[in-house]
Amino acid sequence: MPFSPQVHDNPRPVNFSQTRVAVVGGGPAGLMAAIQSAGSGAGTLLLEKMPRCGLKLRLTGKGRCNLTNTAGIEDFLAHFGEQGPFLRNAFHRFFNDDLRKLLEDLRVQTVVERGGRVFPVDDSASSIADALIRHATQSGAVIACNIRVKRIRAVPDSGFFLDMEKPDGRLYSCRAEAVILATGGLSYPGTGSSGDGYGFAGSLGHSIVPLKPALVPLVTEGKRARRLQGLSLKNVKMTLRVGNRERTWLGEMLFTHFGLSGPIVLSASRYAVEGLDSGKTVTLSFDLKPALDDRKLDARILRELSGHGRQQWKNLLKKLIPLRLVPLCCEETHIDETKPCHQVTAEDRKALRHWLKHFSFQIVGHRGWDEAIVTSGGVRLSEVTPNTLESKTSAGLYVAGELLDLQADTGGYNLQAAFSTGWLAGRAAAEKTSGKTVDL
Ligand SMILES: Cc1cc2nc3c(=O)[nH]c(=O)nc-3n(C[C@H](O)[C@H](O)[C@H](O)COP(=O)(O)OP(=O)(O)OC[C@H]3O[C@@H](n4cnc5c(N)ncnc54)[C@H](O)[C@@H]3O)c2cc1C
């Protein structure tokens, strides 16, 4: 029997007679899913609750969009921690080069920067969002913005019924053979990602791994960080201690009015948040001279001291650390900043070496959802088939993007995961509803 889903606008029905696949959410995962589903020949309706698609995508990479990374698959997967292997299928089918090629075909050139991070040449995240929206429409997808999906019901042998609402309160309903959930996580709720998908997935039989802010700035005890607000330190080695467990990162961090942020702090934050939630003591310690061991560091200090006997200690310190760190360093090492260099003792040098190698902060909290870059937790991966992204609890339901229990470090990994899972879910849903084989 031919399938003829409808979107009803009471009292006037709007007929999307070709719709077979409904995609809920117009972020990177949903847009890519709609492109692939429609491009594979399935009538596709994309439903987005905000006035336009890709609001969060337009903010990514400080408006420049770090869309992917040039790392190889194994390296890429490692950035997702224990959940990484789930993505292997999706990445084998659509990966970083495929994404860049697709964007080039859409006339969005990309460029590789430090650490393999890929950005659009014009530094505009909106170019990417707009190109994907255009491509989705050209592929035949119908995009309906300002429509919030409120409820999804699975009806045996009839697919799914979706209840929807317009901002003015008008209600709609729609039937679809397959539904792709791409509603994102909970971070930056102002962009539309307010967690609706967890409720849909839960009502269709899924369990949700507890949700926590990830890639989120951390709050430190006391006012030390505040004094350094705005200062960033590059090439530092950072050690996170949660209880007895230690993990290290190398890179750049930033002091803020509440504590610590910057790439390596954000990457460490998911472990810090877990530790805080389980009541463990969490500290971050910075080695400001990671390339020098204790002996070499002492030799370097002695070199600076020699020949500068009348100079004040603080002037020597300026050669070793950023100027803004000098007063704090003097206070915490208990060395008078005006002390002449010829009076500096072996004890003083030892205190300085220890401070430079163990500049530590106790972590007492984290910032909220409106500052978290991604969501940790989500639809449990063991309930989703990795090579199609179809739900194991509700046939014809697919899950893509940040809604899944996946989160990675900064560097373009999260967006690639959204694009790759959207790609795979779109193709698989089209194949399922057509009964034909689509090239997965
Ligand atoms: C400030 C910031 C910067 C970032 N920068 C980067 C970066 O440079 N590189 C990187 O890899 N990652 C970055 N990320 C992470 C990345 O943006 C996300 O991982 C990615 O957007 C997830 O894509 P998604 O499609 O799964 O979800 P989203 O982008 O969250 O899209 C979900 C969509 O679903 C819609 N929706 C939700 N509920 C409903 C409903 N009930 N009905 C209809 N529509 C609904 C929402 O309005 C939204 O448009 C950044 C995140 C933030 C917040």
Side-chain angles (χ1 to χ4, degrees), residues 23-31 47-50 52-57 59-68 119 144 147-150 182-189 191-197 200 215 369-375 400-404 409-419 421:
V23 180
V24 187
L31 284 167
L47 300 158
E48 166 57 51
K49 75 174 176 189
M50 301 304 277
R52 58 180 185 157
C53 290
L55 284 187
K56 186 184 284 182
L57 178 58
L59 294 180
T60 55
K62 299 193 174 118
R64 297 181 60 222
C65 185
N66 176 197
L67 56 121
T68 186
F119 292 87
I147 298 224
R148 182 166 77 88
V149 174
K150 291 179 69 178
T183 49
L186 270 170
S187 71
Y188 276 61
T191 61
S193 317
S194 51
D196 299 2
F200 303 145
L215 296 184
W369 288 111
D370 50 352
E371 289 180 53
I373 303 291
V374 290
T375 306
E402 198 177 317
L403 181 58
L404 289 160
D409 300 329
T410 57
Y413 307 102
N414 287 294
L415 276 174
Q416 180 68 52
F419 287 125
T421 54

Side-chain angles (χ1 to χ4, degrees), residues 399-435:
V399 191
E402 198 177 317
L403 181 58
L404 289 160
D405 174 25
L406 289 169
Q407 68 282 319
D409 300 329
T410 57
Y413 307 102
N414 287 294
L415 276 174
Q416 180 68 52
F419 287 125
S420 293
T421 54
W423 189 97
L424 184 54
R427 293 242 169 164
E431 173 170 357
K432 173 110 177 173
T433 57
S434 70

